[in-house]
Amino acid sequence: MTITVPVNLPTPLTLYTDGQRDVSATGTSLDALLTDLDRQFPGMRFRMIDEQGRGRAHMKFFINGQLHRDLDANIREGDRLMIVAAISGG
Amino acid sequence: MNDRQLLRYGRHLLLNEFGIEGQEKLLASRVLVVGAGGLGSAALLFLASAGIGELVIADGDTVELSNLQRQVIHRESSLGRNKAASAAEAVLALNADCKVSTLQSRLTGSNLSDAVAQVNLVLDCSDNFATRHALNRASVSARVPLVSGAAIRFDGQVTSFDPRRASSSCYHCLFPDASELEEERCAVMGVFAPIVGVIGAMQASEALRILAGIGDPLVGRLLIYEGLSQRWQEVRLAKDPACPVCSVVRNFHRSAQHAPA
């Protein structure tokens, strides 16, 4: 079964998508979605996940508006992923 | 309130949710605003006009020409002056009833924790992660609500943390302190002028409603503003049970309460 869901990207990641903020990705887990994003937009995953496979401190994942810290989180039909990057400007 | 204040704040008094009681709470409040840049400019003008009793303004920077594109509290005549001093002058010109004091250096260490402990609420209008995390630690430790805003390019974020509520997350639960945090400065990345006004005004709204005790503050919710498409999105925040800032403090308080005499 393949599940494709909409993904909303923060501005720093639109560097990889030619400025596009709304994209889509296929997978049944959060980790799989990030892998698929990297397949479509090479280099993007490393901006979110470090060498040890941990989520970077300044990138957060929200599935249907709910914060998920576990990359194994399941993705279901109709879900929506939003990736939020910390900003510090004032 | 005297007659002049009843007249001055009359449009607040007309609001059923607010009334005289809400306005009196504002007049009795002491608020710390860290950063008198873009966010602080908008937030301070609304806090002062709305009748916050006492404002403490902290900023160690001086007003530069490139600031005037968006930092609307400053004037050309303030170029080269300390931002907190310049903002204080504007606040007093707007509302002479408002008591204003300034901290004209970058807040760190005990200066920062002392300043936070002496107020009813803090607005984080700063421009760097180190200050954001230090303010968060001080806010949790002193149990003072923190209204957090951030803006760069066309993007804005705003939320509130209330350490008085057991369920409230803190800034560290959302974005943990880490050496790898990439500092993106307006001087390098650019910032669209009205974004800081939008987010700063939202911070003022949060502060006023939290202090007056009305409505539903953004505790547990983060609003994300995409200024290029004028789109707001909301996500829900969750307390990190392993957070070294808010979970450790809370556990410490709990164990202290239950410690044998």
Side-chain angles (χ1 to χ4, degrees), chain B residues 194-217:
Chain B
I195 298 289
V196 291
V198 169
I199 300 298
M202 290 289 281
Q203 288 183 270
S205 169
E206 281 293 290
L208 296 172
R209 286 179 298 109
I210 289 171
L211 292 167
I214 63 167
D216 298 312

Side-chain angles (χ1 to χ4, degrees), chain B residues 128-147:
Chain B
N128 63 88
F129 286 118
T131 301
R132 288 177 183 278
H133 280 288
L135 267 181
N136 180 59
R137 287 191 294 272
S139 144
V140 170
S141 175
R143 298 191 166 207
V144 171
L146 174 69
V147 178

Side-chain angles (χ1 to χ4, degrees), chain B residues 210-249:
Chain B
I210 289 171
L211 292 167
I214 63 167
D216 298 312
L218 287 170
V219 178
R221 299 183 286 149
L222 170 69
L223 287 184
I224 296 151
Y225 179 56
E226 293 174 18
L228 207 49
S229 53
Q230 295 281 40
R231 176 163 65 162
W232 286 97
Q233 303 204 66
E234 179 178 320
V235 293
R236 291 183 295 282
L237 304 181
K239 193 177 178 72
D240 179 359
C243 176
V245 177
C246 65
S247 290
V248 169
V249 168

Side-chain angles (χ1 to χ4, degrees), chain B residues 25-42:
Chain B
K25 284 180 184 166
L26 299 188
L27 291 166
S29 294
R30 193 161 197 246
V31 172
L32 169 66
V33 177
V34 179
L39 299 172
S41 285

